[in-house]
Amino acid sequence: MQKFDIGGLAALVCRHDVPLFIANVDTPGEQQKYAVSLIEHMFKLLPPKATVVVLYDVGCVLDRSVAQYEMFVDGIEERVMFATSVMHSYVHQWSCQLHYNPRLKDGLGLTDGENVERLWSRSRGLIPVCRSSGKHRRVWLINRKLRTIAKELKEEMGSWISRKLNKGVVEQTAESQKTLDECNMEVKFLEKQWADQKATQISVRSPRLKTHLGNILNIQTDINELEATVEKSLGLLKKGLLPETCRPAIVGVDLEFVQKLYLVREIKANVQRKATSTFWEFDKLDRAAGGKDIALGTKMHQHVRSAMTKKTAALTAAIKRYNTECQSLAAVSKPEWNIPLPEPLPTNMGELKTCTTLMENVWIEPIQGDSQRWVHDQDVRDGIRAMLRLKRCREEHQRLGREADNMLKWYRKELKAIATAIKDSSNVLLVSQLRLEFEELAGLKSSWATSLITEASYEAHLSCIVQAADGIQLTWAPVKVADDSIDDSELSAPVLHVDAGEEDSSMLPSAEEVCLNDLFSEQAEHEGKVALQPLSCNLTWQTPVSFALFF
Ligand SMILES: [Zn+2]
Ligand SMILES: [Zn+2]
């Protein structure tokens, strides 16, 4: 950080992955101020009653800070809600997940909150270039790149919606419905169970209990020491140090069982910590590589790899021990105690990451009849998950419907605005640019068409506007070169130009393009990869037949 003026970037991205705003990170670490200022900036541009859900890796922490200190200017706090991202939810405790995991939170549909990760992955080609470039050039490069990404994503919005509909809503609804059918339980019952689970697991009892058993919970390494402390704590337990609420639960149960139960609880806490840090390493690797399928081949990669191997071995050992203790606990357990036994965990990392019981603590109280079936009945747990997933799918479906409607509305409004601008005589110098814009927008009708809003609807709006604003024609024909003085070779190798600029220089690459090309080829050489093919594009330049009529 001392060597660089900027340590990183913080980005605000919408749920369609479109980058909205980006900020320079100029302090070590990811401080909350970046998130706060980006959110504040966005609110300045939103209607006064608009509400926003912010999905942030540490959304829970930010939410607490916002509640504690006046971090936002007036009128924002009531309109903003926080959640964490789906993939990073494992780093949060279960009680935190119950509040902030978007899959467990009402109204969030299937939004996963991993949009910023995908943005970094899309723009990672800029990292080596920007590392050594000057401040202003870097800002310019990033700005250009992000604008391009935003434009491309906007154009692909139709396929985005279709993908979310098919892969998300349709597939997951079918899956969840199947699970629900297999469980054969009423949704009302599952809802009650879920409410009970939330209330129980969020309750303040566990932290208090944790404090009293602090001496047990703090030891992880030495089994002898651990067992000695368990003994000691059990002594305290008998004397009545533990809170009123849990004492009767433990009394009447074999000492050996209670001892083992606390031991298993402690081992599971250890497994959870180890799993969290191992997954974190996995993610770091994925993040650096821009996705788990792309190898990085750098020192960082080697380093993370070796860290992962070490951590995975320690985690597997901890899980094996936990599973063994679970077995021996089951051997001394009696059904009349009504204390649910902890379930073994998978040793396979992939399965472990998606294991639903990993982050749940070991249950140390007897269960109360049917109202707490979620504690021990796997079917109820599966049922609850499926029910929640179904709800998210329904929400997502509704949201996608609204988004498709909004796209059509925006399409019509924007076309109308451009058509009006073209008609306005004061825009005479901009007419060709506006016509291009109109043409480009009109072309979105096929890529934006989805099963929710068909191409015919777009077409209808388009022809309506074209008719209303007579003079705008969408017939295009190949260009006829009237001027013989233009050299053919120039035409056969067209170059992209960002700005129309003056006519004389429009055929030459701009300084910006030259610089960008240089940087990319330098980067390719630097990485030892096959050099990029020289930029060659076949542009078919066509102008409207009626072009001249409008000047
Ligand atoms: Zn969006
Ligand atoms: Zn959290």
Side-chain angles (χ1 to χ4, degrees), residues 481-521:
V481 185
D483 190 351
D484 290 329
S485 66
I486 297 175
D487 191 346
D488 273 330
S489 62
E490 258 182 14
L491 284 173
S492 61
V495 283
L496 281 168
H497 54 97
V498 182
D499 202 317
E502 287 173 29
E503 244 176 60
D504 290 343
S505 63
S506 67
M507 294 301 278
L508 296 168
S510 70
E512 292 164 346
E513 289 154 43
V514 174
C515 145
L516 199 60
N517 283 341
D518 282 356
L519 285 170
F520 281 129
S521 50

mmCIF file of all heavy atoms in Angstrom, residues 481-521:
data_model
loop_
_atom_site.group_PDB
_atom_site.id
_atom_site.type_symbol
_atom_site.label_atom_id
_atom_site.label_comp_id
_atom_site.label_asym_id
_atom_site.label_seq_id
_atom_site.Cartn_x
_atom_site.Cartn_y
_atom_site.Cartn_z
ATOM 1 N N VAL A 481 -19.646 4.017 -52.766
ATOM 2 C CA VAL A 481 -18.568 4.998 -52.667
ATOM 3 C C VAL A 481 -18.624 5.905 -53.882
ATOM 4 O O VAL A 481 -18.350 5.496 -54.994
ATOM 5 C CB VAL A 481 -17.197 4.303 -52.550
ATOM 6 C CG1 VAL A 481 -16.109 5.325 -52.336
ATOM 7 C CG2 VAL A 481 -17.234 3.306 -51.413
ATOM 8 N N ALA A 482 -19.020 7.147 -53.630
ATOM 9 C CA ALA A 482 -19.174 8.085 -54.736
ATOM 10 C C ALA A 482 -17.859 8.775 -55.058
ATOM 11 O O ALA A 482 -17.569 9.091 -56.190
ATOM 12 C CB ALA A 482 -20.222 9.114 -54.390
ATOM 13 N N ASP A 483 -17.049 8.912 -54.010
ATOM 14 C CA ASP A 483 -15.805 9.653 -54.192
ATOM 15 C C ASP A 483 -14.689 8.718 -54.655
ATOM 16 O O ASP A 483 -14.262 7.837 -53.905
ATOM 17 C CB ASP A 483 -15.446 10.318 -52.851
ATOM 18 C CG ASP A 483 -14.304 11.293 -53.014
ATOM 19 O OD1 ASP A 483 -13.695 11.325 -54.110
ATOM 20 O OD2 ASP A 483 -14.034 12.014 -52.045
ATOM 21 N N ASP A 484 -14.211 8.886 -55.896
ATOM 22 C CA ASP A 484 -13.192 7.991 -56.431
ATOM 23 C C ASP A 484 -11.817 8.196 -55.813
ATOM 24 O O ASP A 484 -10.941 7.351 -55.925
ATOM 25 C CB ASP A 484 -13.078 8.178 -57.949
ATOM 26 C CG ASP A 484 -14.310 7.627 -58.626
ATOM 27 O OD1 ASP A 484 -14.888 6.652 -58.091
ATOM 28 O OD2 ASP A 484 -14.703 8.192 -59.651
ATOM 29 N N SER A 485 -11.658 9.343 -55.196
ATOM 30 C CA SER A 485 -10.326 9.651 -54.650
ATOM 31 C C SER A 485 -9.982 8.799 -53.433
ATOM 32 O O SER A 485 -8.834 8.696 -53.042
ATOM 33 C CB SER A 485 -10.237 11.128 -54.281
ATOM 34 O OG SER A 485 -11.121 11.371 -53.208
ATOM 35 N N ILE A 486 -11.005 8.154 -52.817
ATOM 36 C CA ILE A 486 -10.704 7.328 -51.636
ATOM 37 C C ILE A 486 -10.055 6.014 -52.065
ATOM 38 O O ILE A 486 -10.559 5.304 -52.930
ATOM 39 C CB ILE A 486 -11.985 7.039 -50.823
ATOM 40 C CG1 ILE A 486 -12.549 8.365 -50.303
ATOM 41 C CG2 ILE A 486 -11.714 6.089 -49.685
ATOM 42 C CD1 ILE A 486 -13.876 8.235 -49.598
ATOM 43 N N ASP A 487 -8.946 5.733 -51.458
ATOM 44 C CA ASP A 487 -8.203 4.531 -51.795
ATOM 45 C C ASP A 487 -8.933 3.285 -51.294
ATOM 46 O O ASP A 487 -9.421 3.252 -50.174
ATOM 47 C CB ASP A 487 -6.814 4.623 -51.140
ATOM 48 C CG ASP A 487 -5.892 3.542 -51.648
ATOM 49 O OD1 ASP A 487 -6.402 2.576 -52.293
ATOM 50 O OD2 ASP A 487 -4.702 3.650 -51.414
ATOM 51 N N ASP A 488 -9.005 2.261 -52.138
ATOM 52 C CA ASP A 488 -9.714 1.029 -51.765
ATOM 53 C C ASP A 488 -9.094 0.331 -50.563
ATOM 54 O O ASP A 488 -9.780 -0.271 -49.750
ATOM 55 C CB ASP A 488 -9.742 0.058 -52.942
ATOM 56 C CG ASP A 488 -10.932 0.358 -53.819
ATOM 57 O OD1 ASP A 488 -11.958 0.845 -53.300
ATOM 58 O OD2 ASP A 488 -10.827 0.120 -55.014
ATOM 59 N N SER A 489 -7.750 0.382 -50.512
ATOM 60 C CA SER A 489 -7.064 -0.335 -49.434
ATOM 61 C C SER A 489 -7.479 0.204 -48.070
ATOM 62 O O SER A 489 -7.527 -0.508 -47.089
ATOM 63 C CB SER A 489 -5.548 -0.222 -49.583
ATOM 64 O OG SER A 489 -5.181 1.138 -49.477
ATOM 65 N N GLU A 490 -7.785 1.475 -48.050
ATOM 66 C CA GLU A 490 -8.217 2.085 -46.791
ATOM 67 C C GLU A 490 -9.547 1.513 -46.327
ATOM 68 O O GLU A 490 -9.762 1.268 -45.158
ATOM 69 C CB GLU A 490 -8.389 3.591 -46.985
ATOM 70 C CG GLU A 490 -7.225 4.380 -46.425
ATOM 71 C CD GLU A 490 -7.466 5.879 -46.587
ATOM 72 O OE1 GLU A 490 -8.606 6.268 -46.872
ATOM 73 O OE2 GLU A 490 -6.511 6.601 -46.456
ATOM 74 N N LEU A 491 -10.389 1.269 -47.308
ATOM 75 C CA LEU A 491 -11.715 0.766 -46.978
ATOM 76 C C LEU A 491 -11.701 -0.696 -46.552
ATOM 77 O O LEU A 491 -12.485 -1.118 -45.727
ATOM 78 C CB LEU A 491 -12.652 0.911 -48.186
ATOM 79 C CG LEU A 491 -13.158 2.325 -48.449
ATOM 80 C CD1 LEU A 491 -13.907 2.355 -49.752
ATOM 81 C CD2 LEU A 491 -14.043 2.796 -47.298
ATOM 82 N N SER A 492 -10.754 -1.448 -47.125
ATOM 83 C CA SER A 492 -10.740 -2.881 -46.812
ATOM 84 C C SER A 492 -10.209 -3.170 -45.407
ATOM 85 O O SER A 492 -10.411 -4.235 -44.883
ATOM 86 C CB SER A 492 -9.912 -3.638 -47.839
ATOM 87 O OG SER A 492 -8.592 -3.147 -47.792
ATOM 88 N N ALA A 493 -9.513 -2.206 -44.852
ATOM 89 C CA ALA A 493 -9.043 -2.436 -43.480
ATOM 90 C C ALA A 493 -9.565 -1.346 -42.557
ATOM 91 O O ALA A 493 -8.857 -0.429 -42.190
ATOM 92 C CB ALA A 493 -7.516 -2.452 -43.457
ATOM 93 N N PRO A 494 -10.833 -1.434 -42.248
ATOM 94 C CA PRO A 494 -11.415 -0.369 -41.433
ATOM 95 C C PRO A 494 -10.899 -0.417 -39.995
ATOM 96 O O PRO A 494 -10.483 -1.483 -39.524
ATOM 97 C CB PRO A 494 -12.904 -0.670 -41.471
ATOM 98 C CG PRO A 494 -13.008 -2.099 -41.802
ATOM 99 C CD PRO A 494 -11.777 -2.510 -42.504
ATOM 100 N N VAL A 495 -10.916 0.677 -39.344
ATOM 101 C CA VAL A 495 -10.497 0.702 -37.935
ATOM 102 C C VAL A 495 -11.653 1.214 -37.092
ATOM 103 O O VAL A 495 -12.490 1.977 -37.561
ATOM 104 C CB VAL A 495 -9.267 1.610 -37.715
ATOM 105 C CG1 VAL A 495 -8.009 0.939 -38.182
ATOM 106 C CG2 VAL A 495 -9.484 2.943 -38.393
ATOM 107 N N LEU A 496 -11.651 0.778 -35.864
ATOM 108 C CA LEU A 496 -12.694 1.236 -34.956
ATOM 109 C C LEU A 496 -12.368 2.650 -34.531
ATOM 110 O O LEU A 496 -11.215 2.959 -34.244
ATOM 111 C CB LEU A 496 -12.683 0.357 -33.702
ATOM 112 C CG LEU A 496 -13.334 -0.991 -33.820
ATOM 113 C CD1 LEU A 496 -12.957 -1.800 -32.603
ATOM 114 C CD2 LEU A 496 -14.828 -0.855 -33.927
ATOM 115 N N HIS A 497 -13.336 3.501 -34.475
ATOM 116 C CA HIS A 497 -13.058 4.795 -33.856
ATOM 117 C C HIS A 497 -14.105 5.117 -32.815
ATOM 118 O O HIS A 497 -15.302 4.928 -33.001
ATOM 119 C CB HIS A 497 -12.887 5.912 -34.877
ATOM 120 C CG HIS A 497 -14.037 6.041 -35.829
ATOM 121 N ND1 HIS A 497 -15.031 6.946 -35.635
ATOM 122 C CD2 HIS A 497 -14.309 5.368 -36.971
ATOM 123 C CE1 HIS A 497 -15.895 6.835 -36.636
ATOM 124 N NE2 HIS A 497 -15.490 5.895 -37.438
ATOM 125 N N VAL A 498 -13.585 5.596 -31.706
ATOM 126 C CA VAL A 498 -14.439 5.825 -30.553
ATOM 127 C C VAL A 498 -15.265 7.089 -30.762
ATOM 128 O O VAL A 498 -16.446 7.136 -30.510
ATOM 129 C CB VAL A 498 -13.560 5.978 -29.288
ATOM 130 C CG1 VAL A 498 -14.434 6.171 -28.058
ATOM 131 C CG2 VAL A 498 -12.671 4.765 -29.127
ATOM 132 N N ASP A 499 -14.585 8.101 -31.268
ATOM 133 C CA ASP A 499 -15.235 9.388 -31.405
ATOM 134 C C ASP A 499 -15.304 9.734 -32.895
ATOM 135 O O ASP A 499 -14.343 9.525 -33.624
ATOM 136 C CB ASP A 499 -14.367 10.403 -30.665
ATOM 137 C CG ASP A 499 -15.190 11.607 -30.283
ATOM 138 O OD1 ASP A 499 -15.984 12.072 -31.122
ATOM 139 O OD2 ASP A 499 -15.034 12.059 -29.147
ATOM 140 N N ALA A 500 -16.409 10.280 -33.328
ATOM 141 C CA ALA A 500 -16.516 10.612 -34.744
ATOM 142 C C ALA A 500 -15.456 11.637 -35.152
ATOM 143 O O ALA A 500 -14.805 11.497 -36.180
ATOM 144 C CB ALA A 500 -17.891 11.159 -35.051
ATOM 145 N N GLY A 501 -15.239 12.622 -34.309
ATOM 146 C CA GLY A 501 -14.167 13.596 -34.527
ATOM 147 C C GLY A 501 -14.252 14.283 -35.872
ATOM 148 O O GLY A 501 -15.306 14.357 -36.505
ATOM 149 N N GLU A 502 -13.124 14.802 -36.340
ATOM 150 C CA GLU A 502 -13.121 15.468 -37.638
ATOM 151 C C GLU A 502 -12.992 14.422 -38.727
ATOM 152 O O GLU A 502 -12.415 13.370 -38.539
ATOM 153 C CB GLU A 502 -11.928 16.427 -37.701
ATOM 154 C CG GLU A 502 -12.142 17.664 -36.850
ATOM 155 C CD GLU A 502 -10.889 18.508 -36.788
ATOM 156 O OE1 GLU A 502 -10.114 18.468 -37.756
ATOM 157 O OE2 GLU A 502 -10.699 19.182 -35.785
ATOM 158 N N GLU A 503 -13.471 14.774 -39.873
ATOM 159 C CA GLU A 503 -13.533 13.792 -40.945
ATOM 160 C C GLU A 503 -12.165 13.252 -41.361
ATOM 161 O O GLU A 503 -12.000 12.073 -41.588
ATOM 162 C CB GLU A 503 -14.216 14.397 -42.167
ATOM 163 C CG GLU A 503 -15.512 13.690 -42.472
ATOM 164 C CD GLU A 503 -16.252 14.311 -43.592
ATOM 165 O OE1 GLU A 503 -15.667 14.360 -44.696
ATOM 166 O OE2 GLU A 503 -17.396 14.741 -43.379
ATOM 167 N N ASP A 504 -11.167 14.147 -41.383
ATOM 168 C CA ASP A 504 -9.844 13.741 -41.856
ATOM 169 C C ASP A 504 -9.200 12.671 -40.986
ATOM 170 O O ASP A 504 -8.522 11.787 -41.471
ATOM 171 C CB ASP A 504 -8.917 14.959 -41.916
ATOM 172 C CG ASP A 504 -9.345 15.879 -43.035
ATOM 173 O OD1 ASP A 504 -10.121 15.410 -43.919
ATOM 174 O OD2 ASP A 504 -8.936 17.040 -43.013
ATOM 175 N N SER A 505 -9.423 12.785 -39.703
ATOM 176 C CA SER A 505 -8.728 11.857 -38.803
ATOM 177 C C SER A 505 -9.570 10.629 -38.465
ATOM 178 O O SER A 505 -9.111 9.743 -37.769
ATOM 179 C CB SER A 505 -8.361 12.587 -37.509
ATOM 180 O OG SER A 505 -9.561 12.990 -36.887
ATOM 181 N N SER A 506 -10.796 10.582 -38.972
ATOM 182 C CA SER A 506 -11.686 9.499 -38.527
ATOM 183 C C SER A 506 -11.239 8.119 -39.000
ATOM 184 O O SER A 506 -11.622 7.114 -38.430
ATOM 185 C CB SER A 506 -13.117 9.786 -38.987
ATOM 186 O OG SER A 506 -13.144 9.710 -40.388
ATOM 187 N N MET A 507 -10.447 8.066 -40.050
ATOM 188 C CA MET A 507 -10.021 6.763 -40.544
ATOM 189 C C MET A 507 -8.766 6.254 -39.816
ATOM 190 O O MET A 507 -8.375 5.117 -39.968
ATOM 191 C CB MET A 507 -9.731 6.828 -42.052
ATOM 192 C CG MET A 507 -10.975 7.102 -42.893
ATOM 193 S SD MET A 507 -12.242 5.857 -42.665
ATOM 194 C CE MET A 507 -11.616 4.605 -43.763
ATOM 195 N N LEU A 508 -8.136 7.123 -39.058
ATOM 196 C CA LEU A 508 -6.915 6.703 -38.358
ATOM 197 C C LEU A 508 -7.265 6.260 -36.942
ATOM 198 O O LEU A 508 -8.194 6.798 -36.344
ATOM 199 C CB LEU A 508 -5.942 7.893 -38.282
ATOM 200 C CG LEU A 508 -5.430 8.405 -39.615
ATOM 201 C CD1 LEU A 508 -4.732 9.741 -39.418
ATOM 202 C CD2 LEU A 508 -4.478 7.399 -40.235
ATOM 203 N N PRO A 509 -6.475 5.287 -36.417
ATOM 204 C CA PRO A 509 -6.747 4.923 -35.030
ATOM 205 C C PRO A 509 -6.416 6.087 -34.093
ATOM 206 O O PRO A 509 -5.439 6.792 -34.332
ATOM 207 C CB PRO A 509 -5.815 3.733 -34.784
ATOM 208 C CG PRO A 509 -4.790 3.796 -35.839
ATOM 209 C CD PRO A 509 -5.373 4.552 -37.001
ATOM 210 N N SER A 510 -7.212 6.252 -33.093
ATOM 211 C CA SER A 510 -6.950 7.346 -32.168
ATOM 212 C C SER A 510 -5.787 6.978 -31.253
ATOM 213 O O SER A 510 -5.403 5.820 -31.148
ATOM 214 C CB SER A 510 -8.186 7.615 -31.332
ATOM 215 O OG SER A 510 -8.351 6.541 -30.449
ATOM 216 N N ALA A 511 -5.260 7.987 -30.582
ATOM 217 C CA ALA A 511 -4.150 7.749 -29.650
ATOM 218 C C ALA A 511 -4.568 6.744 -28.584
ATOM 219 O O ALA A 511 -3.784 5.905 -28.154
ATOM 220 C CB ALA A 511 -3.759 9.070 -28.997
ATOM 221 N N GLU A 512 -5.837 6.808 -28.193
ATOM 222 C CA GLU A 512 -6.325 5.914 -27.144
ATOM 223 C C GLU A 512 -6.268 4.459 -27.582
ATOM 224 O O GLU A 512 -5.867 3.586 -26.829
ATOM 225 C CB GLU A 512 -7.772 6.282 -26.814
ATOM 226 C CG GLU A 512 -7.901 7.626 -26.141
ATOM 227 C CD GLU A 512 -9.315 8.161 -26.161
ATOM 228 O OE1 GLU A 512 -10.135 7.608 -26.928
ATOM 229 O OE2 GLU A 512 -9.605 9.103 -25.439
ATOM 230 N N GLU A 513 -6.662 4.218 -28.842
ATOM 231 C CA GLU A 513 -6.646 2.835 -29.325
ATOM 232 C C GLU A 513 -5.236 2.287 -29.417
ATOM 233 O O GLU A 513 -4.955 1.162 -29.047
ATOM 234 C CB GLU A 513 -7.274 2.740 -30.726
ATOM 235 C CG GLU A 513 -8.766 2.953 -30.718
ATOM 236 C CD GLU A 513 -9.227 3.474 -32.041
ATOM 237 O OE1 GLU A 513 -8.754 2.951 -33.067
ATOM 238 O OE2 GLU A 513 -10.019 4.429 -32.071
ATOM 239 N N VAL A 514 -4.338 3.141 -29.914
ATOM 240 C CA VAL A 514 -2.945 2.704 -30.043
ATOM 241 C C VAL A 514 -2.422 2.311 -28.675
ATOM 242 O O VAL A 514 -1.823 1.256 -28.488
ATOM 243 C CB VAL A 514 -2.091 3.842 -30.647
ATOM 244 C CG1 VAL A 514 -0.624 3.462 -30.645
ATOM 245 C CG2 VAL A 514 -2.565 4.155 -32.054
ATOM 246 N N CYS A 515 -2.719 3.145 -27.729
ATOM 247 C CA CYS A 515 -2.235 2.913 -26.364
ATOM 248 C C CYS A 515 -2.827 1.631 -25.800
ATOM 249 O O CYS A 515 -2.133 0.805 -25.220
ATOM 250 C CB CYS A 515 -2.594 4.130 -25.533
ATOM 251 S SG CYS A 515 -3.012 3.832 -23.872
ATOM 252 N N LEU A 516 -4.095 1.422 -26.028
ATOM 253 C CA LEU A 516 -4.772 0.232 -25.512
ATOM 254 C C LEU A 516 -4.206 -1.041 -26.148
ATOM 255 O O LEU A 516 -3.903 -2.007 -25.463
ATOM 256 C CB LEU A 516 -6.267 0.349 -25.805
ATOM 257 C CG LEU A 516 -7.186 -0.525 -24.983
ATOM 258 C CD1 LEU A 516 -7.036 -0.190 -23.515
ATOM 259 C CD2 LEU A 516 -8.634 -0.323 -25.392
ATOM 260 N N ASN A 517 -4.008 -0.983 -27.470
ATOM 261 C CA ASN A 517 -3.449 -2.143 -28.166
ATOM 262 C C ASN A 517 -2.062 -2.472 -27.650
ATOM 263 O O ASN A 517 -1.720 -3.625 -27.415
ATOM 264 C CB ASN A 517 -3.373 -1.885 -29.665
ATOM 265 C CG ASN A 517 -4.740 -2.033 -30.288
ATOM 266 O OD1 ASN A 517 -5.618 -2.641 -29.700
ATOM 267 N ND2 ASN A 517 -4.924 -1.463 -31.458
ATOM 268 N N ASP A 518 -1.243 -1.394 -27.464
ATOM 269 C CA ASP A 518 0.117 -1.591 -26.953
ATOM 270 C C ASP A 518 0.084 -2.274 -25.602
ATOM 271 O O ASP A 518 0.798 -3.237 -25.352
ATOM 272 C CB ASP A 518 0.821 -0.243 -26.788
ATOM 273 C CG ASP A 518 1.293 0.267 -28.129
ATOM 274 O OD1 ASP A 518 1.112 -0.483 -29.115
ATOM 275 O OD2 ASP A 518 1.814 1.381 -28.204
ATOM 276 N N LEU A 519 -0.793 -1.766 -24.768
ATOM 277 C CA LEU A 519 -0.840 -2.295 -23.411
ATOM 278 C C LEU A 519 -1.244 -3.760 -23.395
ATOM 279 O O LEU A 519 -0.672 -4.563 -22.685
ATOM 280 C CB LEU A 519 -1.826 -1.481 -22.583
ATOM 281 C CG LEU A 519 -1.318 -0.102 -22.175
ATOM 282 C CD1 LEU A 519 -2.438 0.727 -21.584
ATOM 283 C CD2 LEU A 519 -0.200 -0.230 -21.169
ATOM 284 N N PHE A 520 -2.218 -4.097 -24.222
ATOM 285 C CA PHE A 520 -2.671 -5.491 -24.234
ATOM 286 C C PHE A 520 -1.599 -6.425 -24.786
ATOM 287 O O PHE A 520 -1.412 -7.522 -24.279
ATOM 288 C CB PHE A 520 -3.975 -5.633 -25.022
ATOM 289 C CG PHE A 520 -5.165 -5.216 -24.226
ATOM 290 C CD1 PHE A 520 -6.092 -4.323 -24.724
ATOM 291 C CD2 PHE A 520 -5.360 -5.709 -22.939
ATOM 292 C CE1 PHE A 520 -7.188 -3.929 -23.968
ATOM 293 C CE2 PHE A 520 -6.443 -5.322 -22.183
ATOM 294 C CZ PHE A 520 -7.351 -4.424 -22.688
ATOM 295 N N SER A 521 -0.870 -5.965 -25.809
ATOM 296 C CA SER A 521 0.153 -6.859 -26.339
ATOM 297 C C SER A 521 1.316 -6.989 -25.349
ATOM 298 O O SER A 521 1.880 -8.058 -25.171
ATOM 299 C CB SER A 521 0.646 -6.383 -27.705
ATOM 300 O OG SER A 521 0.984 -5.036 -27.638
#
